[in-house]
Amino acid sequence: MNIGQASKASGVSAKMIRYYEQIQLITPAHRTESSYRTYTDNDIHTLRFIRRARDLGFFVEQMKTLLALWRDRSRASADVKTIAMEHIAELERKAAALKAMTETLKHLANHCHGDERPDCPIIEEFANAGDGDDVPATMHARFGLNGIKPDQPTRR
């Protein structure tokens, strides 16, 4: 099948299929004499595997490892589980960070009058973030959390 058909069958866009070939996540497709890519059922199965792994948030390097393990019939399931558990821990860290960001923004929004006055604790917090705060560096890392707890008063 051609790249459009492979895209439709796998749920992976043609652009991403080309990208996956470029970064060598998948082997380059066979080419016809006129240089059109052709894909087999096995290629579609691999693309579906990648799509599912991507849907679950795995990074390209993790997908490369998972693909290698998938192809290795003598693999130990413990190797696969280790990758999955590491990814779960990362997802849980991200979820906790998102929850903290949500709580911070809720707190700020609840303390903003939302009227014609120029005072706004949201803007003040953004402008003053890091000004002598004793916020751990880890709070700012990755998601830029500012360390406000919902029970803390905001600066006015």
Side-chain angles (χ1 to χ4, degrees):
M1 58 185 80
N2 66 31
I3 196 166
Q5 294 165 324
S7 174
K8 187 175 182 178
S10 67
V12 177
S13 71
K15 182 177 181 179
M16 289 306 294
I17 293 171
R18 287 186 207 96
Y19 173 70
Y20 292 151
E21 287 180 7
Q22 180 186 355
I23 64 169
Q24 299 176 346
L25 184 59
I26 60 174
T27 57
H30 179 267
R31 299 272 186 155
T32 64
E33 287 182 22
S34 55
S35 290
Y36 288 105
R37 291 174 169 91
T38 60
Y39 297 88
T40 65
D41 288 338
N42 192 41
D43 295 327
I44 303 307
H45 197 61
T46 300
L47 288 168
R48 287 179 181 153
F49 181 99
I50 291 168
R51 187 198 71 228
R52 183 64 178 142
R54 187 188 69 211
D55 289 348
L56 290 172
F58 284 95
F59 298 110
V60 170
E61 288 305 315
Q62 292 170 314
M63 288 190 288
K64 282 182 181 180
T65 303
L66 289 168
L67 279 167
L69 289 167
W70 179 46
R71 291 176 178 133
D72 179 4
R73 302 311 260 153
S74 64
R75 70 180 170 268
S77 65
D79 296 337
V80 180
K81 184 174 182 174
T82 297
I83 294 167
M85 296 305 292
E86 288 170 358
H87 189 60
I88 289 167
E90 178 63 21
L91 291 173
E92 287 174 341
R93 279 190 293 278
K94 287 180 181 180
L98 288 170
K99 183 172 176 29
M101 283 190 290
T102 300
E103 292 303 316
T104 297
L105 285 171
K106 280 181 182 178
H107 173 75
L108 291 170
N110 287 336
H111 288 83
C112 179
H113 296 287
D115 56 18
E116 69 285 342
R117 291 183 280 183
D119 308 2
C120 179
I122 300 167
I123 293 294
E124 288 176 29
E125 176 59 31
F126 293 173
N128 296 322
D131 288 354
D133 292 343
D134 292 328
V135 178
T138 56
M139 293 297 285
H140 293 287
R142 186 109 191 211
F143 292 107
L145 298 176
N146 58 19
I148 293 178
K149 293 184 177 77
D151 57 348
Q152 275 183 325
T154 56
R155 287 175 267 206
R156 297 226 172 188

